[in-house]
Amino acid sequence: MKTLAVVITTPPYSHLTITALTYVEAALVAGINVIGVFFYQDGVMHANENISIASDEYQAIEHWQRLQKQYQLPLHICITAAEKRGIACDAIDNDKINKAFTVSGLGELVELTTKASRLVQF
Amino acid sequence: MKTLAVVITTPPYSHLTITALTYVEAALVAGINVIGVFFYQDGVMHANENISIASDEYQAIEHWQRLQKQYQLPLHICITAAEKRGIACDAIDNDKINKAFTVSGLGELVELTTKASRLVQF
Amino acid sequence: MTSIEQNSSASPQESVLAIINSKAPFSSSHGKDALDVALIFAAFEQKVSLFFQGDGVYQLMDKQDGSLLGIKDYLKTFSAFEFYDIEDIYVCQPSLASRQLDEDFHIDDVQVLSSIEFGLALNRHQHVLRF
Amino acid sequence: MTSIEQNSSASPQESVLAIINSKAPFSSSHGKDALDVALIFAAFEQKVSLFFQGDGVYQLMDKQDGSLLGIKDYLKTFSAFEFYDIEDIYVCQPSLASRQLDEDFHIDDVQVLSSIEFGLALNRHQHVLRF
Amino acid sequence: MSTLHLIRQSAFASNDFAQCLSVLDHRDSVVLMDDGCYNLKHSLMDSLIKRVGSVNINIIASHAQARAIEIITAVNTIEISDVVELTFTHNKVITWQ
Amino acid sequence: MSTLHLIRQSAFASNDFAQCLSVLDHRDSVVLMDDGCYNLKHSLMDSLIKRVGSVNINIIASHAQARAIEIITAVNTIEISDVVELTFTHNKVITWQ
């Protein structure tokens, strides 16, 4: 079975994220088992519930939410990286975090890496 | 009169910000009239009230607050840049924004630039 | 394309702000952030000039189409420069040459300058921001 | 310093993760972020190797002192690699040479490799992350 | 052991492409994407083109077209979905960004 | 009209230092700070050193020392507070970052 784990390090307002999203969606459409997406560094900004991108700009966060819903794609954010960027704060379940994302530690990255046949970083 | 305006584009978790802070403080100590600091691009992250930097790391936000208080230094964040980064949201006066910072538009940068004898970007 | 003498006679007074664009247009938001600054200065009737150097010169190249990447193409707004009285647009010739680019821009009245001319043009501005 | 043959005999099995460090230590958090990943893999008893290339080689140089910049110097944590069984630490020789750096590192057992050896060592890993 | 190299940065602005080339093995493949598409006109490309046959060079069509970059025949024009396929026909992926 | 150039990036990683040098005028000053301190060992430095006398070259002492960079005599060792002074003895400041 082809299994894939993806690491995202670019924020939602970076156009580089569109490439990553297109890649992950293409993998899902091709029937690849994407076992999880791990958001690290500025990638965690995707989980900030308060981000407001102009409506005529690319809506990266909505796109991740759609993939999560449609394919039960696990989206993990790194809590340490999130706290540094004003997202995760103290409570694990709070209104600052977009519900499509799971707050995880770097241990989750170990889990994904050891399970996946391929690891791709964007 | 020597007047100075400063533009900050790096986030609080970047060590480049320490250099900027040291520069601004040195200017204030030297008696330069620092008419304002304008936070743009990732610089607006300084105003995110929820950011939590490990206690043994450099506390850039506290340092800005101290300078603001001690020298009545105006700290402006760009609202457009802030919204993209999940900070300013809809309300101008909300609990996501650190009180030491004033939510402004790019018009404030025009004001600072035309008034200052020097404009320095970090 | 344009000599320094012409430039000097065209704008003898010192402009308040020069913006140096140094990044390619689509992968980062630097170009858009610089454009927003330029337009607001123009809206406040402050004289602003645009400089394109390094990978920043890619922002000026013709036949680009950001919509193919699924993004809103902010480069189209460059056509509003005339309306906003942003008239001084300078591009670094060596930056074009090293990237094997022709002087084929998507806006008019771009002035292609040598490094020395580019530096002298920068010097005619009171403040400089770089994105 | 160490030939490929020795490396191969030292670790014949494929390691799960190679981390390439490509950034200088103090101005960005990439080095610290990469270190955090390395330590967590080691804590979970997964074999991880560290590669230093380009400006990443500055992370290894001796006599640095981040405290002079007012920051917590994460480079000091490199001394814990032995405790964490992080044994495979490779540095790109051409990256050192072009920066006029001697093989003078703040940790022991760094293996200086040619570009070809560096590439071959990377090849012995199942996954690669780059910071 | 073959590697798929994803190139996302302009070699005119950063050193990443040069670092990739220094470890590039025969049987590896390269994909120019995002600002990596600009590298088609960089002098480092000449040495890479000479290795075609041993190394496979690809470029994302839409990424090149959006940037008004003319594609050369030595380089395969592909889509993002092809990158997914290449991910599994190689043993690992390194992203140079 | 003199300009103070603040150099904050490594020339080994990015193109900014080269861009600065291409517009550098006589009477200008350069400050190597942050990762710009690494440029002391870059080949671009040779041409800059030759212009000492016309161009003034400075480096932030603590930034160089933290990075274990040996300072050369052609370059003035300064503190951040000196950068404040240089800000006003020049007509403008350009930050290359």
Side-chain angles (χ1 to χ4, degrees), chain D residues 2 21 38 73 85 89 94 112 128:
Chain D
T2 309
N21 288 281
D73 193 347
D85 290 327
I89 300 165
V112 180
V128 182

Side-chain angles (χ1 to χ4, degrees), chain D residues 46-102:
Chain D
Q46 295 297 325
K47 215 157 164 39
V48 59
S49 306
L50 298 179
F51 290 75
F52 293 87
Q53 189 187 23
D55 273 8
V57 303
Y58 288 125
Q59 294 185 26
L60 291 174
M61 302 321 294
D62 200 17
K63 300 191 182 66
Q64 296 184 85
D65 184 2
S67 71
L68 292 170
L69 305 172
I71 66 179
K72 189 186 164 194
D73 193 347
Y74 75 94
L75 297 178
K76 294 202 191 333
T77 314
F78 281 24
S79 60
F81 287 162
E82 220 182 317
F83 173 79
Y84 277 99
D85 290 327
I86 299 175
E87 292 157 346
D88 298 319
I89 300 165
Y90 306 104
V91 60
C92 170
Q93 197 280 328
S95 298
L96 291 174
S98 64
R99 286 162 186 77
Q100 302 185 44
L101 296 170
D102 296 326

Side-chain angles (χ1 to χ4, degrees), chain D residues 5 14 28 120:
Chain D
E5 286 68 38
E14 200 184 67
S28 86
L120 290 172

Side-chain angles (χ1 to χ4, degrees), chain D residues 6-31:
Chain D
Q6 283 175 299
N7 290 337
S8 303
S9 64
S11 52
Q13 87 285 22
E14 200 184 67
S15 284
V16 66
L17 182 69
I19 297 177
I20 306 177
N21 288 281
S22 67
K23 304 284 189 301
F26 300 128
S27 287
S28 86
S29 54
H30 282 87

